[in-house]
Amino acid sequence: MSGLINALGSKALLAPLAGITNLPFRLIARPFGCGLCFTEMISANGLIRESDKTIHYLATCPGDRPLGVQLFGSDPAIVAQAAVRVAHLQPDCIDINMGCPVRKVIKTGSGAALMKNLPLAGRIITAVVKAVAVPVTVKIRAGWSPGSINAPEFARIAEDAGAAAVTVHGRTADQGFSGHADWEVIARVKQAVCIPVIGNGDIWQAKDAVRMLRETGCDAVMVGRGALGNPWIFQGIGQMLSDGETAAGPTLQQRLEIIKKHWETEADFCGSRLAERTFRKHLLWYTKGLAGSGRFRESVGKLKDHHSMLTELERYFERLHDSSL
Ligand SMILES: Cc1cc2nc3c(=O)[nH]c(=O)nc-3n(C[C@H](O)[C@H](O)[C@H](O)COP(=O)(O)O)c2cc1C
């Protein structure tokens, strides 16, 4: 993995985001210089039962590389079996989710529940590493709660079990997504292990990525919510890392083209009827903070079909363009 991290075109990676980082989203982010993308988390149990929905999460294509496939589960044998299945797709790494705090996940003993069960976490990693030749990475949180910060200890266990890298989201599981990510913990993990450490949490702008790399010494950064409606953040990070300059970002016309391309790809991927629903959230993210976006959101919210939504979007961008002249 250190080889893989070094070989990546960029030190800025796209986080796994359930319901968001599907194939269309990854294909939109890649041309902006995103170094490595992850699928959303995929249930190991669902994979070995071959549920259609789970298999759909694995959808990829030759242009969708480098790619990490993320699994979650709590039974070492089942996660290993799922990893063998995934390995046939020849991803660049298989990531194990040990940080998801969602009730549905932790009640099965997987995700962030493993922050409270380090021996089991170690057995899962060992089983997967033994089962596949693909590098195995692990994504963890700072700890379960502020009183039980154990990411450095967890990372050492992961390293001993053969993990090739560890991603640390600097929040505790009981924090969910509230408050701030503690980057200090990421720095402590970096001190604790020799494998590459990927820092994650609260990178909203290019300068945050640069600051995280500098302050924590981490080997790469992972961007989650900061990439929503803003896939060009990876270009900004690349530019700031290479010459310290702030990238201008796309023009209004370029933004509109990106949105339309993303929508088209989503429609090809899941059918235009379903995309009318799944793409709504992206429209809101893409227009957040733009002049008059409240009114646009309100009107697009009332529309039902692809054609009228697209017309509303184009009209909105025309108005933005006219008012910027
Ligand atoms: C909507 C949403 C879905 C997420 N899904 C996943 C997931 O499938 N796997 C995972 O490891 N983390 C998941 N996360 C956590 C993110 O990968 C990331 O660790 C977290 O958002 C912090 O990074 P950020 O501050 O850059 O967003 C999710 C977060 C959000 C907001």
Side-chain angles (χ1 to χ4, degrees), residues 15-20 39-41 70 95 97 99-100 139 141 169 171 177 200-204 222-226 228:
L17 297 167
I20 299 163
T39 65
E40 59 186 283
M41 60 181 179
Q70 192 189 61
D95 189 63
N97 180 322
C100 176
K139 183 162 177 281
R141 289 222 172 198
H169 173 195
R171 282 187 179 77
F177 295 95
N200 169 240
D202 293 345
I203 294 177
W204 301 103
M222 179 183 274
V223 184
R225 292 162 298 166
L228 304 179

Side-chain angles (χ1 to χ4, degrees), residues 138-161:
V138 182
K139 183 162 177 281
I140 63 174
R141 289 222 172 198
W144 178 264
S145 64
S148 58
I149 300 294
N150 59 358
E153 185 190 351
F154 197 124
R156 272 194 298 267
I157 287 171
E159 180 172 43
D160 290 346

